[in-house]
Amino acid sequence: MSAPLDPRLSRALGKAPPTGAWFLHGDAIRLRDEAAQQLVEAAVDPATRDFNYDQFRAEDVTDEQLAATLAMPPMMAERRVVFVRDVERLGTKARQVLQRAAAAAPPDLALIVTARIPKGSRAAFYRDLRKNCRTLEWSTPRAAEIPGWIHDRARRRWNFDLSPAAAQWIAGAVGSDLSTLDAELEKLASLPADRRTDADIRDVVPRTHRIDRWSWLDLVASRDYRRALRELENVLTSERGVGLVAGLVEQHLLLGLALEAGPAGLRAALSETGRGYLSWKANAYAKQARAWTVHELDHALRALHRADRHLKSGRGDRAVLAETLLQLAQAGNAGR
């Protein structure tokens, strides 16, 4: 099964085959490399592929070989395509060759390069690539976004739909490694459609802990504090308190946005800020928001920020979270 074109890549390409220099980077290597291959397929003329397509791994190519390849004109086609993988591994001279080519790529060349930029790097090499290339970044989704990524990936890549509950179940069972998650989705895609119910998915993708972080965050956001307190010990077997509080802060901010703007406004805001993997749950956030007022959300956020300070000062996760849940419950009862 060939993957549909990545939506961001589709928008960047428009209707014409890609030309010029393209720089794809980020730590979501599987997604980045999949997009790079899609870019190659969009650029290469299948009839003259053997003459006009060259692919190199950075550690295997010399500066002379790279320079000679980039200088070759296309043969019996409109463009040549040169794909250089993992350019963070290039030597100094080869980097200079690539920089010059990216800065002055002719219209009959599609130069595609990928990299994982070292954390904190300020190297001019990457700055120049960003400046002279069409640049797209693929970052690993944050913990809050993993179920949304699963939901989106199942539909776009594997052509089947998952319920929000099933997406959260898979995230809780498998974790955040995108390659492992994709392998599980491929396994589910091979099943008949009537064998992909939520119950079937729980059987096919078993998990070892009783509740996942997203379901627990939903309990708190829905103000089911009694059950959240009961499940606290279980969720702490797989999560740290600081991460749970950070998740609660984000979710309560989203509740405030949903309260103000409704589901459509929330989706638009998430899309504009590059957090589209959260928009799949906009209806759920809007439903949870009905249990709140702006004043109550403000109080809850102050309590959560205090909890964050206590956790970072060394107090135990269970004690801080239990105390915070009780404070939220008491405040909720007092305001009703």
Side-chain angles (χ1 to χ4, degrees):
M1 182 191 302
S2 61
L5 203 63
D6 182 282
R8 286 190 300 152
L9 199 59
S10 182
R11 288 193 294 271
L13 280 171
K15 295 182 180 179
T19 58
W22 293 73
F23 179 37
L24 281 62
H25 70 95
D27 58 3
I29 294 173
R30 184 184 185 94
L31 304 184
R32 182 203 70 192
D33 288 352
E34 185 178 274
Q37 194 58 48
Q38 291 178 326
L39 194 56
V40 166
E41 297 305 321
V44 171
D45 178 357
T48 61
R49 186 185 185 99
D50 291 344
F51 303 106
N52 293 302
Y53 174 53
D54 289 280
Q55 176 181 219
F56 300 106
R57 291 192 178 277
E59 61 266 35
D60 298 330
V61 67
T62 65
D63 55 307
E64 295 92 346
Q65 185 182 15
L66 185 57
T69 302
L70 289 167
M72 291 175 63
M75 184 181 297
M76 300 179 295
E78 293 183 2
R79 75 191 67 81
R80 279 184 57 76
V81 181
V82 179
F83 178 21
V84 189
R85 295 177 177 271
D86 305 320
V87 298
E88 70 272 17
R89 300 175 187 170
L90 283 176
T92 302
K93 289 185 178 180
R95 287 189 176 197
Q96 292 169 353
V97 169
L98 192 65
Q99 283 172 291
R100 288 195 295 269
D108 59 2
L109 172 68
L111 172 60
I112 301 162
V113 300
T114 64
R116 184 174 186 174
I117 301 175
K119 188 175 181 180
S121 173
R122 297 184 179 179
F125 175 59
Y126 304 114
R127 186 173 63 246
D128 288 349
L129 287 177
R130 284 195 182 102
K131 175 184 175 183
N132 294 315
C133 301
R134 294 287 299 272
T135 300
L136 295 170
E137 180 178 2
W138 273 263
S139 299
T140 300
R142 298 173 302 108
E145 298 172 326
I146 291 293
W149 182 87
I150 293 169
H151 187 269
D152 184 73
R153 183 74 171 176
R155 180 168 50 85
R156 291 187 184 277
R157 174 66 178 88
W158 297 110
N159 199 32
F160 70 93
D161 289 321
L162 284 171
S163 71
Q168 290 189 178
W169 177 276
I170 294 168
V174 177
S176 60
D177 181 79
L178 301 188
S179 294
T180 307
L181 286 167
D182 210 29
E184 290 294 335
L185 292 176
E186 183 178 12
K187 182 167 66 177
L188 291 172
S190 70
L191 298 175
D194 61 358
R195 293 282 312 281
R196 288 197 295 263
T197 67
D198 287 6
D200 291 325
I201 288 169
R202 287 194 292 272
D203 289 336
V204 174
V205 191
R207 67 185 186 193
T208 57
H209 47 276
R210 179 167 141 169
I211 188 168
D212 59 71
R213 64 176 277 127
W214 303 279
S215 299
W216 188 82
L217 296 179
D218 284 340
L219 289 177
V220 181
S222 301
R223 310 190 81 162
D224 191 349
Y225 299 120
R226 182 174 297 179
R227 188 174 168 202
L229 194 56
R230 275 203 315 270
E231 296 287 2
L232 179 57
E233 198 73 50
N234 294 316
V235 76
L236 284 174
T237 62
S238 58
E239 300 289 336
R240 294 185 59 220
V242 170
L244 291 173
V245 168
L248 286 172
V249 169
E250 179 173 50
Q251 190 146 343
H252 282 70
L253 289 171
L254 291 171
L255 295 181
L257 189 54
L259 199 60
E260 293 286 332
L266 177 57
R267 282 194 196 91
L270 290 170
S271 178
E272 288 170 7
T273 57
R275 299 168 79 182
Y277 286 135
L278 291 174
S279 63
W280 69 290
K281 207 175 173 182
N283 287 337
Y285 293 139
K287 183 177 179 180
Q288 292 167 358
R290 294 180 201 141
W292 295 85
T293 65
V294 173
H295 174 75
E296 289 168 338
L297 284 169
D298 183 62
H299 171 82
L301 285 166
R302 287 200 300 271
L304 291 168
H305 283 298
R306 284 196 301 272
D308 183 65
R309 289 198 302 272
H310 290 322
L311 288 168
K312 290 175 179 175
S313 70
R315 287 188 59 189
D317 288 6
R318 190 187 187 289
V320 171
L321 284 166
E323 179 181 306
T324 302
L325 289 173
L326 291 171
Q327 289 173 354
L328 293 175
Q330 290 168 359
N333 291 334
R336 293 177 188 279

